[in-house]
Amino acid sequence: MTPSVTVLTGAGISTDVGIPDFRGPQGTWTLHPERQDLLDYPVYMADPDVRRRSWLARLHSPMWDAHPSDAHRALVELEKAGVLTALLTQNIDGLHQAAGSSSELVVELHGSLFTTVCTACDGVWATQAVLERLVDDPDPHCERCGGILKTSTVMFGQDLPRDALDRAAEAASTCDVMIAVGTSLQVHPVAGLVPLAAHHGAEVVIVNAEPTPYDDVAARVVREPIQTSLPALVRELVDG
């Protein structure tokens, strides 16, 4: 019997394509702890200087030029084999969709860099269109109501989208295999999806360079590089 597989991905799946993680040895916050303010929602809303620095960081984000890796493409093969039931991601880089993963299966738990919302009227724009305004306005506001704009990404101090979290919990509770890839499993509630899957009888596989708080619930922990170990793991699952 072919197992149903839910995959949870974190920043580690994208580091090899030039997008740094946050907490790793060369992570953004490890090297530049002051940048954590840029993702703190109350601080962002209250401080125009933080907003200006945040928009500048978005403008120069390596995500705009990144391309999917072998690891991203391996998950497309898992989908094509008919065993992937959900692809849960903490990433905002859109690389799963760029690799060919179906948008119906991808659940963006932390939102997306590619759209921007007004915090007052809920208007939505393409982020690139907002970035074009930075030449004249380094702290762009909503052109409809004057409200503060932010990318459609979840900051500290904000709740995760309820529908995304519900879909993720359902996928974790019903799968036969849960693979957590490139995530430190330190941020809740997303980290709790792994013990949730284990509680419901799933075989948990953790693919991560560093230890995580949930290695003890995993049937298998893989420390090898993600770009080679994940495609190999996918082949195992597809070939049975």
Side-chain angles (χ1 to χ4, degrees), residues 54-62 64 113 128 131-132 134-135:
S54 178
W55 282 113
L56 193 61
R58 296 305 193 200
L59 177 65
H60 297 294
S61 172
W64 300 117
L113 178 66
Q128 285 287 4
L131 294 176
E132 291 172 2
L134 298 185
V135 176

Side-chain angles (χ1 to χ4, degrees), residues 26-162:
Q26 299 300 313
T28 299
W29 293 343
T30 304
L31 301 178
H32 305 283
E34 73 281 359
R35 293 186 185 177
Q36 293 187 50
D37 281 351
L38 304 185
L39 294 180
D40 186 304
Y41 185 68
V43 173
Y44 179 90
M45 294 297 291
D47 191 335
D49 181 62
V50 168
R51 292 198 297 274
R52 286 190 287 268
R53 289 193 291 124
S54 178
W55 282 113
L56 193 61
R58 296 305 193 200
L59 177 65
H60 297 294
S61 172
M63 294 184 193
W64 300 117
D65 297 318
H67 298 283
S69 67
D70 289 343
H72 294 98
R73 287 186 286 270
L75 296 179
V76 179
E77 295 306 311
L78 194 61
E79 177 182 339
K80 289 179 179 178
V83 298
L84 183 66
T85 56
L87 176 45
L88 320 175
T89 186
Q90 295 170 281
N91 298 338
I92 61 173
D93 54 34
L95 289 179
H96 289 304
Q97 296 92 324
S101 291
S102 300
S103 57
E104 292 81 7
L105 292 185
V106 177
V107 180
E108 293 178 312
L109 292 161
H110 289 170
S112 171
L113 178 66
F114 293 85
T115 55
T116 288
V117 296
C118 174
T119 58
C121 72
D122 297 326
V124 180
W125 294 267
T127 298
Q128 285 287 4
V130 177
L131 294 176
E132 291 172 2
R133 296 171 52 192
L134 298 185
V135 176
D136 300 314
D137 184 3
D139 179 20
H141 282 57
C142 179
E143 293 178 312
R144 297 177 186 171
C145 75
I148 293 173
L149 297 179
K150 65 175 291 294
T151 54
S152 304
T153 52
V154 178
M155 292 182 168
F156 290 105
Q158 287 188 291
D159 293 331
L160 269 64
R162 186 73 252 173

